[in-house]
Amino acid sequence: MADKFDVIVIGAGPGGYVAAIRAAQLGLKAAIVEKWLSEDGKPVFGGTCLNVGCIPSKALLEASHKFVEAKHDFDDMGIQAGDVQMDVKKMMARKDTIVKNLTGGVAGLLKGNGVTAIQGTGKVTGGKQVEVTDKDGKATTYEAENIIIAAGSVPVEIPPTPLVEGMVVDSTGALEFQETPKRLGVIGAGIIGLELGSVWSRLGAEVTVLEAMDSFLPMVDTAIAKETQKLLKKQGLDIRLGARVTGSEVKDNEVVVKYSDGSGEQEMTFDKLIVCVGRKPYTKGVVAEGVGISLDERGFIHVDDQCRTSVPSVYAIGDCVRGQMLAHKASEEGVMVADIIAGHKAEMNYDAIPSVIYTFPEVAWVGMTEQDAKAAGIEVKTGSFPFAASGRAMANNATEGQAKIIADAETDRVLGMHIVGQHAGEMIAQGVIALEFGSSAEDLALTCYAHPTMSEAVHEAALAVDGHAIHMVNRKKRK
C-alpha cells in the first residue's frame, strides 16, 4: 500500500484540480490523479477545458473576431488597416502558448497548495482505495478517507460519421487545423458547433451547420434564440435545421455527407467535417465492478444534491454527473464537496448557473426561459432592451442584440436573464447575482448603473419589466 490521504481526486480538470486545491486549503492531505501527458511525456493538468476546450477555442474565437473587425469594421471607425491577412499557423501557435501557460499555472497552484500529483489512470477499487496505473503499466494502490471522481467527459461519436484523422474530426481535431478549409461542414448546432463554425467562417470558410432538431437552441429563451439564429445567418453560417445525417464517406481528399430533411435525401461535399453532437461522461473503467457505485444507462454516476455517490466517502462531480456540462459548474461542485469533507456545511444553487455561447455577439443566460415558466405554470412579466438604443453599444460598433429579464408576475422576483450582445458573458453575472440573492426586477431597476456602459441595457430591461424604461418607448402591457 502506498501513501494514505484524506482526499484523492481522480481527474485534474476544472472540477478536480479546484476540489484538490480547496481540500488542501482546508488542511486536508490531498492528492490528484491525472493520466493526461504532454508530447514530451510530462503530466498535463486542466483537463478538456484548458487543453482542448474552453480556453483554446476562446483564443481562436477572439483572434478570428479581431480579424473580421480589422478586415470589415475598422473602416467605419476611420481606421485604415489595408489588406489584412490571417496567419493561421501563428494563430494556432499563440493558442498553444496560452494553453501551456495556463496548464503550467495549474501545476504550480497544485504544488503551491501542497497537493500531491500522481500520474496515471485512476480507478476506484473500494470505498477508500484508488488504484493508479502509470504510463508504463505499473499499478499502485493508494488509500484515502474520501475519494472525489472528476473524470470529465469526451465527445460523442455517431455511426454515420466515423472519425477520419484530419478529415472528419471532433471538437479537439477542429482546434488543430493548420489552414482554413474552403468548405466546412459542422454536424450539430449546439454551443460547440456554433463556436467552432464561427471561427472558421470568420477566416473565410463556407460553413454549413447540419442540425437534426427542428428548433434552434431549444435551451435558450425563444426570443433570444430567434435573434441569434438571424445574426449568425447574416454572418454567413448556413444553418440547416431538421437535417439528419445518415452517412459520410471520405474520397479524393473530400468528405461527402448524406442527410435527410423535409425535402428528402440530400448530399453535400466538404473539405473538412466537424462532428459536434454533444459529449458523454468519461466513466468507463473509473470504477471497478462490485464497488457499488451506481451509473445510469448513459454512464453518468448517480449522486445526490451534494454530489455523494451510493458509496459512503465517495463523491463525483462535473461532467460525469447530472446537470450541465460546464467548467464553472464542475469547479463549484468541487469546492462544495471539499467543504463537506472538511466538515463544513455547503450546498450549491443549481438554479443560478450561467451558460454562455462565445460567438459574436455572445449569447448568455441564467435561470428560467419564458417557455420554462409557461411549462411550470408560472405567470411572468418580461422586459427587454435592444443594444441598438445603447450609446455605448453605438460607440463600440456593437448594436446587435438585446437584454431580457423575466420576473414572476405576482412577486416581481427575477426568474431569468437572457442576453445576446457584445460582452453578454460578462454581463450575465448580474443575473446570476440577482438569482442568488432573490432580487426583484425592481431591485435592479432601482440600482444606479454607470453611464455609458453595455450593462445599462440590463438596467433598462429591468425598468421595462413594469413599463418604465427611459431610453426606449415602452410597449403597452396587456391588461
Side-chain angles (χ1 to χ4, degrees):
M1 186 72 69
D3 293 344
K4 182 176 180 179
F5 297 91
D6 295 317
V7 181
I8 290 181
V9 182
I10 299 176
Y17 83 74
V18 168
I21 289 173
R22 180 69 159 195
Q25 290 175 344
L26 295 171
L28 301 173
K29 185 179 180 183
I32 192 162
V33 181
E34 177 54 62
K35 69 173 187 176
W36 206 315
L37 292 172
S38 64
E39 292 181 357
D40 55 2
K42 294 182 179 179
V44 175
F45 303 104
T48 294
C49 179
L50 264 67
N51 289 279
V52 292
C54 320
I55 300 302
S57 63
K58 302 312 162 285
L60 300 187
L61 282 159
E62 186 67 19
S64 60
H65 174 57
K66 289 186 183 300
F67 171 70
V68 168
E69 278 195 309
K71 197 173 182 67
H72 301 294
D73 301 335
F74 278 4
D75 187 62
D76 291 341
M77 298 182 175
I79 303 171
Q80 301 299 315
D83 184 22
V84 180
Q85 301 293 324
M86 171 58 81
D87 184 334
V88 174
K89 288 185 172 62
K90 191 169 184 179
M91 178 182 72
M92 289 295 179
R94 174 181 177 269
K95 176 259 296 181
D96 293 340
T97 298
I98 292 169
V99 169
K100 185 177 180 180
N101 288 341
L102 284 171
T103 55
V106 172
L109 288 170
L110 291 169
K111 184 177 180 181
N113 282 280
V115 177
T116 300
I118 303 171
Q119 191 284 319
T121 301
K123 177 190 287 187
V124 180
T125 54
K128 297 192 176 186
Q129 289 186 345
V130 174
E131 180 186 87
V132 180
T133 304
D134 67 17
K135 60 183 179 181
D136 299 319
K138 179 184 176 183
T140 304
T141 299
Y142 297 85
E143 190 172 343
E145 287 299 315
N146 300 276
I147 299 167
I148 303 174
I149 302 171
S153 62
V154 292
V156 170
E157 296 181 29
I158 54 176
T161 56
L163 302 185
V164 178
E165 187 173 356
M167 296 296 294
V168 181
V169 301
D170 56 19
S171 57
T172 300
L175 296 171
E176 299 299 333
F177 292 162
Q178 293 301 306
E179 60 183 18
T180 302
K182 186 176 187 300
R183 301 162 300 174
L184 175 66
V186 179
I187 301 178
I191 294 175
I192 299 172
L194 293 177
E195 289 184 355
L196 292 174
S198 291
V199 168
W200 296 107
S201 174
R202 293 169 189 169
L203 298 180
E206 298 172 6
V207 178
T208 302
V209 182
L210 303 175
E211 170 56 53
M213 296 185 68
D214 294 321
S215 57
F216 181 73
L217 295 177
M219 68 289 199
V220 177
D221 186 84
T222 302
I224 301 297
K226 185 177 179 180
E227 185 160 5
T228 301
Q229 184 179 9
K230 180 183 70 176
L231 292 172
L232 292 177
K233 283 190 174 183
K234 183 181 175 183
Q235 293 172 15
L237 266 68
D238 181 2
I239 301 172
R240 304 189 181 190
L241 302 178
R244 304 176 188 278
V245 175
T246 56
S248 66
E249 182 183 3
V250 175
K251 57 182 179 180
D252 299 328
N253 213 31
E254 294 179 330
V255 185
V256 178
V257 176
K258 294 182 179 181
Y259 68 94
S260 61
D261 60 14
S263 301
E265 297 299 319
Q266 311 290 343
E267 185 175 293
M268 291 192 75
T269 302
F270 304 105
D271 298 301
K272 304 281 186 183
L273 180 67
I274 306 174
V275 182
C276 296
V277 293
R279 299 181 66 84
K280 61 182 180 181
Y282 183 78
T283 50
K284 186 177 181 180
V286 174
V287 179
E289 290 186 20
V291 172
I293 293 176
S294 301
L295 279 71
D296 69 14
E297 67 281 358
R298 294 182 297 164
F300 288 100
I301 298 172
H302 280 294
V303 292
D304 65 12
D305 290 342
Q306 293 179 310
C307 294
R308 297 181 182 89
T309 70
S310 48
V311 174
S313 75
V314 179
Y315 301 79
I317 63 174
D319 286 5
C320 62
V321 302
R322 78 289 178 268
Q324 297 157 286
M325 287 186 168
L326 298 169
H328 44 281
K329 175 254 196 185
S331 294
E332 291 304 314
E333 287 179 331
V335 169
M336 174 180 69
V337 168
D339 284 354
I340 291 170
I341 290 172
H344 301 295
K345 292 183 178 180
E347 63 180 6
M348 185 169 168
N349 184 359
Y350 286 96
D351 293 328
I353 300 174
S355 296
V356 185
I357 306 175
Y358 294 91
T359 49
F360 189 88
E362 293 177 351
V363 187
W365 66 96
V366 65
M368 282 188 165
T369 63
E370 268 201 80
Q371 56 263 36
D372 289 336
K374 184 178 181 180
I378 302 172
E379 186 178 349
V380 299
K381 52 184 179 177
T382 67
S384 300
F385 188 81
F387 285 106
S390 162
R392 182 57 192 270
M394 291 180 195
N396 289 4
N397 200 25
T399 56
E400 296 174 323
Q402 62 172 298
K404 177 178 179 179
I405 291 175
I406 299 167
D408 188 299
E410 182 178 352
T411 66
D412 196 43
R413 184 167 182 166
V414 174
L415 300 177
M417 184 180 292
H418 309 267
I419 307 171
V420 53
Q422 185 186 54
H423 305 316
E426 308 294 338
M427 287 186 282
I428 200 62
Q430 298 170 64
V432 177
I433 293 169
L435 288 175
E436 190 65 41
F437 286 91
S439 298
S440 64
E442 185 184 38
D443 288 330
L444 293 176
L446 293 174
T447 299
C448 183
Y449 281 67
H451 173 77
T453 60
M454 298 292 285
S455 286
E456 285 178 295
V458 171
H459 187 212
E460 291 279 358
L463 287 162
V465 167
D466 287 315
H468 297 154
I470 301 297
H471 292 93
M472 72 172 186
V473 177
N474 294 275
R475 64 182 181 180
K476 292 183 179 180
K477 298 289 182 179
R478 294 178 182 175
K479 293 182 179 180

